[in-house]
């Protein structure tokens, strides 16, 4: 199904269905992200040889992590489209801008996945790489991981803007609790600390906790409560 058809079907859905669908796909982003986590543990930050050994010894786990990353991006694109339709009655321009930031972030993370897979290709013994020594190949594999991390962090900046704008939209809406908007806006500001990687690394544990709390709270509310349909339709009628 292409993006245009997907967007048309989302637009035709009721606001409560949109909210529940967004909650389901939001949950899938958590699940696919969790599946990818073990593959990151194969990387030893300053030990290229250990990283190479871990990848080759757990190739299936590594490939599973790569697949989970791609699925995660696809699922988040769906969340973005659903949120655009859900918050369009609040402010169409702001909702569109939020979707733009999210889609750019998704595009960056999709491209960065190539860096994630590259170490397996480098270490796989391709004949074209036979001119390199083992130590050089191991160093290249670790370098690709570092490039992946850098690209991923750039994507987080765009998601920071996205969460901040979604927080503003929720706060201005009358069909979701304002506290969810405040939490999302705070999470967005936290992700924006990746504009300064040293600061983000120093505060990483707090940033991740705040992000998980905010997005999990919104996800659970959408799954369990949905939205106030009457207030959503009142806003939609004013457009």
């Amino acid at each position: 199904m292409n993006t245009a058809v997907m967007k048309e079907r989302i637009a035709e859905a009721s606001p409560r269905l949109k909210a529940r669908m967004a909650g389901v796909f939001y949950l899938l982003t958590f699940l696919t992200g969790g599946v990818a986590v073990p593959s990151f543990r194969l990387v030893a930050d300053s030990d290229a040889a250990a990283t190479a050994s871990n990848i080759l010894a757990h190739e299936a786990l590594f490939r599973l992590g790569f697949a989970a990353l791609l699925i995660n991006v696809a699922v988040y694109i769906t969340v973005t489209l659903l949120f655009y339709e859900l918050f369009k009655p609040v402010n169409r321009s702001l909702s569109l801008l939020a979707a733009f930031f999210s889609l750019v972030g998704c595009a960056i993370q999709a491209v960065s996945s190539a860096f994630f897979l590259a170490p397996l290709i480098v270490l796989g013994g391709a004949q074209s790489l036979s001119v390199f020594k083992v130590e050089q190949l191991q160093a290249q594999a670790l370098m690709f991981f570092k490039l992946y991390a850098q690209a991923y962090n750039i994507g987080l900046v765009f998601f920071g803007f996205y969460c901040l704008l979604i927080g503003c939209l929720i706060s201005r809406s009358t069909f979701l609790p304002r506290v969810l908007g405040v939490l999302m806006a705070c999470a967005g500001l936290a992700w924006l600390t990746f504009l300064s990687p040293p600061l983000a690394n120093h505060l990483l544990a707090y940033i991740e906790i705040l992000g998980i709390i905010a997005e999990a709270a919104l996800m659970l509310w959408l799954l369990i409560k949905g939205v106030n349909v009457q207030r959503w339709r009142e806003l939609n009628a004013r457009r």
Side-chain angles (χ1 to χ4, degrees):
M1 184 185 297
N2 60 40
T3 303
V5 174
M6 183 187 298
K7 186 176 178 180
E8 183 179 347
R9 292 191 178 181
I10 288 172
E12 292 172 352
S14 71
R16 179 171 286 116
L17 179 58
K18 290 174 186 175
R20 294 280 164 77
M21 287 171 63
V24 169
F25 281 99
Y26 225 146
L27 176 60
L28 288 175
T29 65
F30 277 84
L31 295 177
T32 53
V35 170
V37 167
S39 60
F40 292 108
R41 294 175 181 160
L42 300 176
V43 182
D45 289 338
S46 57
D47 193 332
T51 299
S53 177
N54 290 340
I55 292 172
L56 294 175
H58 303 89
E59 183 176 339
L61 177 62
F62 188 80
R63 290 187 181 277
L64 177 63
F66 173 72
L69 288 174
L70 291 183
I71 294 171
N72 184 270
V73 172
V75 170
Y76 208 88
I77 289 173
T78 306
V79 172
T80 300
L81 294 176
L82 286 163
F83 274 9
Y84 168 71
E85 291 293 334
L86 196 62
F87 293 110
K88 189 166 57 174
V90 181
N91 187 308
R92 186 188 186 99
S93 298
L94 200 61
S95 185
L96 183 61
L97 181 61
F100 168 77
F101 279 117
S102 180
L103 292 176
V104 171
C106 288
I108 291 172
Q109 295 202 346
V111 172
S112 72
S113 297
F115 292 124
F116 184 87
L117 185 62
L120 189 59
I121 297 172
V122 169
L123 298 170
Q127 188 174 358
S128 60
L129 298 172
S130 60
V131 295
F132 296 101
K133 296 180 181 179
V134 173
E135 294 80 5
Q136 291 175 321
L137 293 174
Q138 292 172 344
Q140 288 177 25
L142 186 58
M143 179 196 67
F144 278 121
F145 271 122
K146 291 182 178 180
L147 288 173
Y148 167 76
Q150 292 295 322
Y152 187 89
N153 289 346
I154 293 171
L156 288 179
V157 172
F158 285 90
F159 287 126
F161 284 114
Y162 177 62
C163 290
L164 180 59
L165 291 174
I166 290 296
C168 293
L169 287 166
I170 293 173
S171 297
R172 293 175 61 179
S173 75
T174 55
F175 51 80
L176 284 172
R178 186 165 293 177
V179 65
L180 294 176
V182 173
L183 284 173
M184 286 296 289
C186 290
L189 291 172
W191 292 123
L192 286 176
T193 59
F194 279 91
L195 286 166
S196 173
L199 176 62
N201 289 333
H202 182 69
L203 300 174
L204 185 58
Y206 303 102
I207 293 170
E208 289 179 340
I209 290 172
L210 180 57
I212 290 172
I213 290 174
E215 297 196 64
L218 178 57
M219 175 198 71
L220 290 172
W221 187 276
L222 292 172
L223 280 172
I224 298 170
K225 289 285 191 177
V227 296
N228 187 313
V229 175
Q230 181 179 348
R231 291 179 180 176
W232 186 92
R233 286 181 173 158
E234 287 173 358
L235 281 174
N236 195 45
R238 295 174 193 168
R239 289 197 296 126

